[in-house]
């Protein structure tokens, strides 16, 4: 299969496949025709007398200053250089690549007015893994992700830096090695490059990929904890959920039922005297399901955004270019904040299940160790989950609820969606760690339910853990075990279905 920029629809999976070299992506003749036609319209406007924002005027509060045709090229390069004011650590290289892929797709739709040569140069960077260095801070998420996109495209004009492996090299040096000359930007091109939501979008795409896996893994961790606790599978029955038919709740309930199916351990206590389990086990479909709703909503919006044109102005004809606000990040920013809360809750409820496994109830030893007193067992890792859960709560403040005017008030309401995207991924990184610890706890709890057996999928995941992390008999350095478990989560090593 081949993906056609500007023609086909991108999805989260397709973007990731392109970025990993698993899906070929090209600019077809159909897309080239659209790009060339739009470029001709820009050239007609640039040579005319009518002031059109971003083509023959200044930017932001200088939009009322008309620029001569001779000054146009210098104006566009100045735009790129003056807006490259990002600070902080560089973003992950994969984010830079995803940003370029999404920008190429947007430009190929034929409304931005940049030259085909410019788009082909960006695609060369993508295809040859030339990934610009982009600082993580500096975007307010409206007028586009101006600072990060400026850094992303500085190498087009021979400025800025590239990642070459794990080293940083000057863009000019790298271009020379590839026998490429820096490009000179022309009318509208600087604005077409740095207006857009590709920084927010790239963080959203990476976050969605992580969250999709973690949602399924949270179900597995929950099921393993229920097995260890000898909780009930009754709360997952279809009869309960069809009378409150939220999509996410039904989906999780079906998964929980599947994860516990034909478990000898579950069957062994079917007629016990316990009436009901604590909420962190009984309400897994309602809590995990609500998080799924946020995930589905964000994914729907992200896939609209990645197939949209988000720069400004939008060129419609030889005489008309609409100056609007498609660059405003609010649609993703608000959904990212919602998804951040949803992701955080996966950790919140997981920590509660960890705590339950330590209490020493229903046949489990306190702190999951037979030698309590001399041994602390698994007492302390729950401190870590508690710390991570609280850190996530602090990260759930919604940046989209805030706005600080910029550009002398011309850009007087901004989304802060770039911060929402970064915090979303920070939270997900903490969820990796929390679920890793719960899975470690659950595996230890299962040891005390032998010789009972569990469902096939639980047994398989138990074996995955035990290949790397042995049962805790006497106290040992648990940091190594925790790091190993986190690596299993990050590498998506568990069987989820």
């Amino acid at each position: 299969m081949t993906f056609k920029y500007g023609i086909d629809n991108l999805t989260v999976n397709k973007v990731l496949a392109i970025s990993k070299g698993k899906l070929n992506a090209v600019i077809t003749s159909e897309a080239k025709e659209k790009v060339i036609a739009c470029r001709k319209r820009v050239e007609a406007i640039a040579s005319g007398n009518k002031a059109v924002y971003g083509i023959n005027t200044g930017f932001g509060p200088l939009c009322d200053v008309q620029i001569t045709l001779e000054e146009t090229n210098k104006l566009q390069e100045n735009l790129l250089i003056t807006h490259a004011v990002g600070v902080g650590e560089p973003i992950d290289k994969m984010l830079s690549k995803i940003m370029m892929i999404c920008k190429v797709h947007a430009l190929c739709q034929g409304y931005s007015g940049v030259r085909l040569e410019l788009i082909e140069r960006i695609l060369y960077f993508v295809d040859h893994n030339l990934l610009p260095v982009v600082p993580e801070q500096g975007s307010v998420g409206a007028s586009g992700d101006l600072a990060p996109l400026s850094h992303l495209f500085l190498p087009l004009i021979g400025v800025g830096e590239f990642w070459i492996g794990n080293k940083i090299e000057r863009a000019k040096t790298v271009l020379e090695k590839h026998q490429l000359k820096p490009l000179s930007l022309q009318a509208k091109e600087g604005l077409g490059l740095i207006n857009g939501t590709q920084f927010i979008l790239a963080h959203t795409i990476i976050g969605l990929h992580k969250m999709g896996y973690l949602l399924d893994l949270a179900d597995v961790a929950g099921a393993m904890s229920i097995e260890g606790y000898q909780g009930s599978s009754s709360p997952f029955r279809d009869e309960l959920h069809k009378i409150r038919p939220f999509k996410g709740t039904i989906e999780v309930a079906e998964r929980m039922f599947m994860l516990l199916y034909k478990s000898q351990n579950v069957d062994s206590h079917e007629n016990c005297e316990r009436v009901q389990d604590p909420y962190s086990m009984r309400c897994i479909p309602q809590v995990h399901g609500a998080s799924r709703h946020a995930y589905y909503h964000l994914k729907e919006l992200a896939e609209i955004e990645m197939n949209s044109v988000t720069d400004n102005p939008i060129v419609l004809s030889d005489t008309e270019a609409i100056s609007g606000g498609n660059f405003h990040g609010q649609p993703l920013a608000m959904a990212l904040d919602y998804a951040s809360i949803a992701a955080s809750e996966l950790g919140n409820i997981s920590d509660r299940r960890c705590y339950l496994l330590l209490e020493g109830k229903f046949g489990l030893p306190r702190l999951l160790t037979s030698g309590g007193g001399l041994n602390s067992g698994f007492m302390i890792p729950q401190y870590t989950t508690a710390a991570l859960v609280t850190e996530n709560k602090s990260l759930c403040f919604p940046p989209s609820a805030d706005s600080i005017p910029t550009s002398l008030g011309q850009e007087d309401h901004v989304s802060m969606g770039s911060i929402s995207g970064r915090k979303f991924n920070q939270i997900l990184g903490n969820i990796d760690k929390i679920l890793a610890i719960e899975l470690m706890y659950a595996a230890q709890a299962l040891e005390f339910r032998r010789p009972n057996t569990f469902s096939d999928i639980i047994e398989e995941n138990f074996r995955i853990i035990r290949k790397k992390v042995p049962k805790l008999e006497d106290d040992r350095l648990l940091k190594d075990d925790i790091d190993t478990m986190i690596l299993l989560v990050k590498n998506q090593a568990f069987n989820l279905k």
Side-chain angles (χ1 to χ4, degrees), residues 93-112:
K93 289 177 279 187
M94 184 61 74
L95 285 167
S96 293
K97 196 169 191 179
I98 291 171
M99 287 171 70
M100 290 193 290
I101 290 167
C102 291
K103 177 60 82 171
V104 168
H105 186 53
L107 295 176
C108 282
Q109 294 183 49
Y111 291 95
S112 302

Side-chain angles (χ1 to χ4, degrees), residues 16-150:
L16 293 170
I18 294 168
S19 68
K20 295 173 184 177
K22 296 179 179 179
L23 176 61
N24 188 37
V26 298
I27 305 174
T28 62
S29 57
E30 182 182 358
K32 289 178 181 180
E33 288 173 7
K34 292 196 296 182
V35 169
I36 292 168
C38 190
R39 181 62 203 169
K40 288 179 179 177
R41 297 183 192 120
V42 166
E43 290 170 352
I45 293 171
S47 60
N49 295 320
K50 182 182 177 182
V52 177
Y53 175 73
I55 297 178
N56 56 10
T57 71
F59 307 112
L62 302 176
C63 60
D64 54 355
V65 179
Q66 194 160 347
I67 304 298
T68 67
L69 185 61
E70 292 73 25
E71 295 171 322
T72 297
N73 293 7
K74 184 63 175 175
L75 172 71
Q76 298 299 319
E77 293 197 6
N78 283 350
L79 179 70
L80 215 60
I81 292 168
T82 58
H83 285 62
V85 292
V87 296
E89 296 297 315
I91 62 173
D92 186 86
K93 289 177 279 187
M94 184 61 74
L95 285 167
S96 293
K97 196 169 191 179
I98 291 171
M99 287 171 70
M100 290 193 290
I101 290 167
C102 291
K103 177 60 82 171
V104 168
H105 186 53
L107 295 176
C108 282
Q109 294 183 49
Y111 291 95
S112 302
V114 304
R115 288 169 296 156
L116 178 61
E117 178 186 4
L118 190 73
I119 302 174
E120 289 176 333
R121 177 63 61 85
I122 300 170
L123 192 55
Y124 183 93
F125 291 169
V126 172
D127 291 343
H128 290 79
N129 223 35
L130 299 180
L131 308 179
V133 177
V134 177
E136 64 182 352
Q137 295 169 299
S139 171
V140 295
S143 289
D145 291 309
L146 295 174
L149 285 169
S150 295

Side-chain angles (χ1 to χ4, degrees), residues 420-468:
S420 300
R422 288 172 49 230
K423 287 172 66 171
F424 178 46
N425 281 277
Q426 283 179 266
I427 289 168
L428 290 168
N430 287 337
I431 300 301
D432 285 344
K433 299 163 189 169
I434 296 168
L435 290 179
I437 291 172
E438 182 185 1
L439 287 161
M440 182 178 69
Y441 274 29
Q444 181 78 359
L446 296 186
E447 300 279 9
F448 297 102
R449 301 307 182 185
R450 297 298 189 189
N452 287 349
T453 58
F454 314 102
S455 68
D456 291 344
I457 190 168
I458 296 297
E459 291 283 6
E460 182 180 349
N461 285 304
F462 177 80
R463 287 191 295 271
I464 289 170
I465 294 170
R466 283 292 172 258
K467 284 180 182 177
K468 300 290 185 179

